[in-house]
Each structure stands twice: as C-alpha cells, then as structure tokens.
Amino acid sequence: MALCGLSLSQCFRILEMVFCALALIIPMFRGSMSSPYGIWCEFVWVFGLIVAVVIFVIEKCLVDKLIELLVLKHTWNDLSCGLTLLSSLMLLSASLIYSTVFVCSTCIADMICAIASILACVVYVLDGVMLKLKCPEGYLSSVRGILRFSQAFVACLLFTAVYSYFKGVENQFRPGGLIWCILVYVVCFLPTVVVIPSHLQKCVDLLRCCNLDKLELVLDIVAVALYVSAAIIWPVFGYKNYKRDSETHDYRFHDLNIITIMTYVNLGLYIADLVLTLIVLCKNR
C-alpha cells in the first residue's frame, strides 16, 4: 500500500513528525518551560520527533539492511518496532500529563498542543502494531524488551516527579531515607539502560564473559531488593515529613503520591522481568 511513492509505514512516520513538531512548537513560543512535568513533555515530543525522522531517513535511504548486516544482532524491524512502542508509551504519558497539568477551559493553545500530542500517540500506536505484526520475534519487541523499556520509562517519570517534589525545598525536608530512594532509582536505571543495547550489538557476543540472561537475573534480583526498600522507605519518610499548609505543599503532595505509585509500578515491572528471566534460564538448561 503506497501513496505518492510512500509506503504506509513512511506515511505514519511523516504524521508522527508533524504532530510531534506541532506539540513541541506551541509551548516553545512561550519561552523556556519551568515546570518539570512540562520539561518532560517537551523531551518526549523531541524524542518522538527524532525517532520518526531517523527511522524515516534510514528506511528511505535503504540503510537499514546495511545496519542489520554490520551492527545489529536482530532485524531492523525489531529495533524500529521497539523504539516505536517506547515512543507510544512516552507520548501517552506526555498527553496525559500535559492535559492534566496545563490544559484549562480557556487555554486554546494548550488544547491544540494536547490534541497534537494525542494524535501523535495514536499514530505511533498504529505504527507499532503494524511493525509488531511484521516482527513477531526479537528482544526489543518482545515482552522482556518492552518490560526493560518500561522500567527505564518509569524511572524517568520518577526523576521528573522527584525533581518537582524537591524543587525549592529546604534541606531539613530532605531526610536520608528519601535520598536513599533517589539513589535506588539511579542505580537501577543505569544497568537497565545498558542491558537494552547489549541485545543489539554483535560485538557484545565477543566481549561477553558470562551469559547475558544470568547477568540480567542478578540485576533483577538486586533491583527488586532495592525497590522493595524504596517502596517501604519512601512512603514512610515522605508522608512523615509532609506538611499541608500551602498551595505549594499541595503540589508536593501530588508529587509524593506519584513517586509512591511509580515506585510500586517499577517494583512490579522488575518482579515480572525476574520471573520471565527465570523461565528463559529454565528453558535453556
């Protein structure tokens, strides 16, 4: 199926570029964004725009076959499908956050921005479904790959909410327990990001000194243990030190709730990944 020499997938990429660019341009005309949630939304739209442009150019220039031949362990469809699914998830979060935080009954420009973000998300979802049908196998487009992407994605949301929570807060409202939780989020985020490209590089097979599944099992066990501690410590110290006496504290209360919920969400994702890794290791024995 083609339109003016373009495939359906390329038409999706063009729509993704247009909607992400439109969602990005409208807030940029107002100047720099100060809200951490607004900064996250802008980052998501930039990411979605870059993903669409890069994949469109690579596929249009037929460089994907060369990349697959020289660099990637799995097919190009797996990589593009994984990035598309990740962009869909990120755009969904940006659409919900922007609509909730910035849109009001008289904010026409913000409404247009939110609509553009929602349309970009819809197009990315359709594109991801189509790519998934073409690529039934592959790490990035599999359940394990999606879990890894989701863990990194939720961690980014945690960083955004943590920054918003501590913004303008005095040192006495930064107890050691909350600092420990931030370290947990960072320590678990970095290996997760490293594991994802390790499934793509052929050269990793030469450098690998142990089975990657076993390494992921160790990482998952450590991450689950750390997130269990954060899931206990953050609510205890966070709600204990919260004082609801102003509008600013009301915003911090929302941030506190978001961080608590996202901590439990990521704990569940790491537990699910741990179970799947154990299943894979048992099958390979």
Side-chain angles (χ1 to χ4, degrees):
M1 183 176 183
L3 179 63
C4 298
L6 297 175
S7 66
L8 179 59
S9 178
Q10 291 171 338
C11 292
F12 279 148
R13 296 297 174 198
I14 293 175
L15 290 175
E16 290 160 5
M17 288 184 246
V18 171
F19 291 134
C20 286
L22 181 59
L24 180 64
I25 289 173
I26 293 175
M28 286 180 63
F29 276 117
R30 301 177 179 175
S32 60
M33 186 75 74
S34 60
S35 169
Y37 294 107
I39 295 173
W40 166 255
C41 292
E42 289 185 343
F43 167 76
V44 169
W45 297 325
V46 171
F47 182 84
L49 179 60
I50 291 175
V51 168
V53 170
V54 170
I55 294 180
F56 178 83
V57 171
I58 289 178
E59 291 180 344
K60 192 67 176 175
C61 299
L62 301 178
V63 185
D64 54 321
K65 302 301 180 183
L66 181 62
I67 292 178
E68 180 182 345
L69 178 64
L70 297 178
V71 180
L72 299 183
K73 179 182 177 181
H74 298 294
T75 65
W76 168 251
N77 285 336
D78 181 35
L79 177 60
S80 58
C81 180
L83 289 174
T84 301
L85 293 174
L86 174 62
S87 299
S88 304
L89 186 61
M90 294 174 67
L91 282 165
L92 176 61
S93 72
S95 301
L96 293 174
I97 290 173
Y98 199 87
S99 300
T100 303
V101 177
F102 298 100
V103 173
C104 62
S105 58
T106 58
C107 307
I108 304 301
D110 289 326
M111 289 182 184
I112 296 175
C113 179
I115 292 173
S117 181
I118 293 171
L119 290 175
C121 178
V122 171
V123 176
Y124 259 110
V125 169
L126 295 175
D127 193 15
V129 171
M130 189 181 70
L131 290 174
K132 182 60 181 174
L133 293 176
K134 291 169 55 180
C135 182
E137 295 182 357
Y139 179 80
L140 294 183
S141 55
S142 67
V143 176
R144 291 182 66 197
I146 294 173
L147 281 174
R148 284 294 179 205
F149 273 136
S150 299
Q151 291 161 5
F153 161 74
V154 172
C156 291
L157 289 180
L158 280 168
F159 297 147
T160 303
V162 166
Y163 177 74
S164 177
Y165 178 78
F166 284 112
K167 189 177 179 181
V169 174
E170 297 81 4
N171 290 332
Q172 59 265 31
F173 294 108
R174 300 177 183 178
L178 300 187
I179 302 301
W180 164 257
C181 294
I182 296 174
L183 290 176
V184 168
Y185 304 146
V186 174
V187 168
C188 294
F189 173 74
L190 295 177
T192 298
V193 173
V194 172
V195 164
I196 294 173
S198 68
H199 285 271
L200 296 174
Q201 299 292 340
K202 281 184 176 180
C203 60
V204 173
D205 293 333
L206 302 176
L207 300 175
R208 194 177 298 159
C209 59
C210 62
N211 186 280
L212 186 58
D213 289 329
K214 293 181 180 179
L215 178 60
E216 288 191 65
L217 177 63
V218 174
L219 293 176
D220 285 334
I221 292 174
V222 174
V224 168
L226 291 175
Y227 261 93
V228 167
S229 69
I232 297 172
I233 294 174
W234 181 270
V236 171
F237 281 87
Y239 291 103
K240 177 182 178 181
N241 289 274
Y242 169 74
K243 295 181 179 180
R244 191 168 188 166
D245 54 6
S246 67
E247 183 179 353
T248 302
H249 285 294
D250 285 340
Y251 283 117
R252 289 184 61 235
F253 184 71
H254 297 320
D255 296 331
L256 181 60
N257 291 335
I258 291 173
I259 297 168
T260 303
I261 294 172
M262 290 296 102
T263 299
Y264 283 102
V265 168
N266 232 9
L267 173 60
L269 291 174
Y270 276 108
I271 292 175
D273 194 39
L274 174 61
V275 172
L276 289 177
T277 303
L278 285 172
I279 293 175
V280 171
L281 286 174
C282 291
K283 288 183 178 179
N284 293 335
R285 290 185 61 180

